[in-house]
């Protein structure tokens, strides 16, 4: 059976979805209706092909519809389509928990193990970490950073910085998060920042941070920052919680971005690329910490959900991690990322009325566009993004004003296609900024 065309779909979305969700700019051909995807390509309902330089928020790290991941999901669907959260477990859940332990704490320290709480979204995983910190330390305060994005659930939203997401709900937020006041993550002075944190001192149970901010505008803190945070947490008895939901599973040229500095967190949150497309996420903690924090279940878990540890998500996540390993995608992201960085640096500089700056690490990269006076030029990025979509290239704006044209392609992307795309991106930004 033929599916609906793009116009029909957009008509239905416009009519039946809450109007806050999908943004329409039909004169500019926005949005694109996705029909199918494979590798680094997406096709719309009319059969037009797009090069996806977003990997759909970084999810499709091993390529869209990676055959091994799809096969694992299909197999699992035919066997067991739904588990029972905290009640009756299943094989893939056990195997995924073991694999998460091995990929995180098992690699970070010999003979160390992790214990995880599985979740359905990144926001849920962050909330599981916040609950763990509350139980482990008995302290309510969470320290977060300017520009942070940890999700929009009512727990995680407390620590998400941007007003756009928070302000209409402020009255119902718990108010347990404080922002460090250290300014932009990529301009932070680690030593000065750490000193200023002392003012938040004794009531802080957790420091929650993205090792590289993605939605905040691909902001990479200076080396040494995470190490300073680790030391601060150790001195103050607080937990270091790393949100690796965007950066995890190879994106930055490391399995996890914290490995750039060799810093081990107490808790790490993962999601997005974990499964390659099924909504599954996790909060993984040091085994001793998790054991101490959470009471043994006496028959009713105090933290659970209907779809916790979904069997299809678990099976896909296992296949996805294996595929990232077998295809050498972590090393590939490092090598291609370095090449991309060079390419973006070559494009950077004063361009007409604007200044372009190359940002990012690995295959989490982008171009920040500002006016010569230094104001964020989000409109230029949005116009370029729409122009690129019409030409068959998908990118996203990041940053509070959308001033960063971000590139987080599948880690499998051929260099030739990335190179061609860079040329088109340069042209689109130039035309949009003229
Ligand atoms: C760093 C980070 N944390 C948390 C989240 C929230 O994840 P989710 O949208 O799956 O709830 C995101 C989503 O973009 C993210 O980038």
């Amino acid at each position: 059976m033929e599916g609906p065309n793009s116009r029909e779909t957009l008509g239905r979305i416009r009519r039946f979805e809450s109007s806050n969700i999908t943004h329409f700019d039909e004169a500019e051909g926005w949005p694109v209706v996705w029909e199918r995807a494979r590798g680094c390509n997406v096709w719309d309902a009319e059969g037009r092909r797009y090069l996806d330089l977003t990997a759909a928020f970084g999810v499709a790290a091993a390529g869209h519809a990676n055959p091994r991941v799809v096969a694992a999901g299909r197999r699992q669907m035919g066997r067991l389509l739904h588990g029972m959260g905290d009640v009756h477990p299943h094989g893939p859940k056990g195997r995924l928990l073991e694999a998460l332990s091995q990929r995180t704490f098992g690699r970070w320290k010999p003979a160390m193990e992790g214990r995880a709480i599985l979740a359905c979204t990144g926001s849920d995983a962050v909330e599981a970490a916040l609950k763990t910190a509350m139980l482990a330390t008995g302290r309510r305060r969470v320290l977060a950073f300017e520009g942070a994005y940890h999700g929009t659930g009512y727990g995680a939203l407390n620590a998400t910085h941007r007003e756009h997401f928070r302000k209409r709900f402020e009255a119902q937020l718990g108010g347990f998060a404080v922002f460090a006041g250290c300014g932009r993550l990529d301009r932070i002075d680690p030593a000065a920042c750490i000193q200023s944190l002392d003012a938040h001192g004794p009531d802080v149970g957790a420091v929650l941070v993205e090792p590289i901010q993605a939605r905040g505008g691909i902001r990479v803190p200076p080396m040494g920052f995470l190490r300073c945070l680790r030391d601060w947490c150790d001195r103050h008895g607080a937990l270091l919680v790393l949100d690796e939901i965007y950066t995890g599973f190879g994106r930055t040229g490391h399995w996890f971005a914290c490995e750039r500095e060799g810093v081990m967190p107490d808790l790490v949150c993962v999601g997005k690329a974990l499964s390659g497309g099924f909504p599954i996420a996790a909060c993984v903690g040091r085994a001793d910490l998790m054991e101490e924090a959470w009471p043994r279940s006496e028959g009713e878990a105090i933290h659970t959900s209907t779809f916790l540890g979904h069997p299809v998500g678990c099976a896909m996540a296992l296949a996805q991690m294996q595929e990232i390993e077998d295809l050498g995608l972590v090393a590939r992201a490092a090598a291609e990322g370095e090449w991309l960085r060079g390419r973006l640096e070559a494009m950077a500089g004063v361009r007409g009325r604007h200044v372009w700056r190359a940002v990012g690490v690995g295959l989490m990269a982008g171009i920040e566009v500002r006016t010569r006076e230094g104001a964020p030029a989000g409109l230029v990025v949005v116009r370029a993004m729409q122009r690129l979509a019409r030409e068959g290239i998908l990118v996203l704006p990041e940053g509070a004003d959308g001033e960063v044209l971000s590139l987080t392609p599948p880690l499998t992307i051929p260099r030739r296609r990335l190179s061609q795309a860079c040329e088109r991106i340069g042209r689109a930004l130039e035309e949009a900024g003229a």
Side-chain angles (χ1 to χ4, degrees), residues 121-123 149-151 210 215 243 245-246 272:
T121 67
S123 194
Y149 186 90
H150 299 292
E210 298 149 88
R215 304 229 41 211
D243 179 344
I245 287 163
Y246 220 133
K272 293 195 191 282

